[in-house]
Amino acid sequence: MPRLLQGECSYQTERLIVFGYDWYMNKVDLPGQVLNIMTPAVTQALPSAWQNINTASEADNWLKRVNDECSFLLVQLKDTQEIIGFVFLYEPPIIRLPIDVRIGYLLNEQYWGAGIASELIKGFLTWCDTCGLIRSITAGVGLDNIGSIKVLEKNGFVPAESDEDGSVFYAYNF
């Protein structure tokens, strides 16, 4: 699968540095950070393969699998350089610019409610607007995930469709 964005997408915000997994030099420490981030509260609405990751080996396997599936970005705090989350960018199988992208993100629950998710998404939209590679972004969210719905709406995403599984999809067009 092509992964144009993993090699291209990196940006900074007031508190965050976001960059491709392939650029991270400290991969030995990353499985432990996955275990800190992927708590039951964070993963409860995610697919079963993303839940119950309890060992460094399971976290390492998850990292490799996700990196094979999408453009996989790490979210790092500027001041401490701690990895506090991930961004997942799913690109079309054939790249014809500009592209339509599906986005997902996870943040360590310690940082929920602090405006980090809004800052993360706003930074991504700014990067997209500058680079000109993206035509539209779609994000799926569970109807009960009020925090993520607010993040998307605050950043200009609009409801596009819903499915029978209780998810609603939000879209942002450039």
Side-chain angles (χ1 to χ4, degrees):
M1 168 187 148
R3 294 185 324 177
L4 169 72
L5 298 178
Q6 185 156 307
E8 294 291 326
C9 184
S10 68
Y11 61 93
Q12 295 187 30
T13 66
E14 181 181 334
R15 298 178 284 181
L16 305 172
I17 302 170
V18 181
F19 54 91
Y21 168 80
D22 291 342
W23 300 347
Y24 191 59
M25 297 303 188
N26 235 352
K27 287 195 178 69
V28 165
D29 299 335
L30 202 49
Q33 294 174 32
V34 168
L35 295 175
N36 287 334
I37 293 167
M38 299 200 46
T39 62
V42 171
T43 63
Q44 70 182 355
L46 299 176
S48 60
W50 290 40
Q51 297 182 31
N52 301 312
I53 297 172
N54 299 310
T55 68
S57 176
E58 291 171 344
D60 191 52
N61 288 336
W62 178 84
L63 285 163
K64 290 173 183 168
R65 191 170 58 249
V66 170
N67 188 50
D68 287 343
E69 293 174 0
C70 64
S71 288
F72 180 37
L73 309 177
L74 306 180
V75 180
Q76 183 178 55
L77 285 177
K78 272 186 182 177
D79 61 351
T80 65
Q81 303 205 331
E82 173 188 7
I83 301 296
I84 63 161
F86 309 112
V87 176
F88 314 95
L89 302 172
Y90 295 89
E91 303 169 39
I94 298 172
I95 300 294
R96 288 191 189 101
L97 297 176
I99 62 174
D100 301 310
V101 174
R102 287 184 304 122
I103 187 172
Y105 65 90
L106 297 176
L107 287 178
N108 184 319
E109 64 184 295
Q110 173 183 341
Y111 298 97
W112 292 0
I116 296 283
S118 290
E119 184 175 329
L120 174 69
I121 297 301
K122 181 178 181 183
F124 180 65
L125 293 175
T126 300
W127 179 84
C128 290
D129 199 37
T130 302
C131 79
L133 298 173
I134 313 281
R135 176 182 32 230
S136 70
I137 305 167
T138 303
V141 61
L143 287 171
D144 59 344
N145 191 343
I146 304 303
S148 283
I149 290 171
K150 286 181 180 180
V151 165
L152 294 171
E153 290 177 344
K154 177 179 181 180
N155 280 289
F157 284 74
V158 295
E161 60 184 275
S162 58
D163 67 18
E164 62 280 348
D165 294 336
S167 294
V168 63
F169 295 88
Y170 282 77
Y172 186 100
N173 294 304
F174 290 93

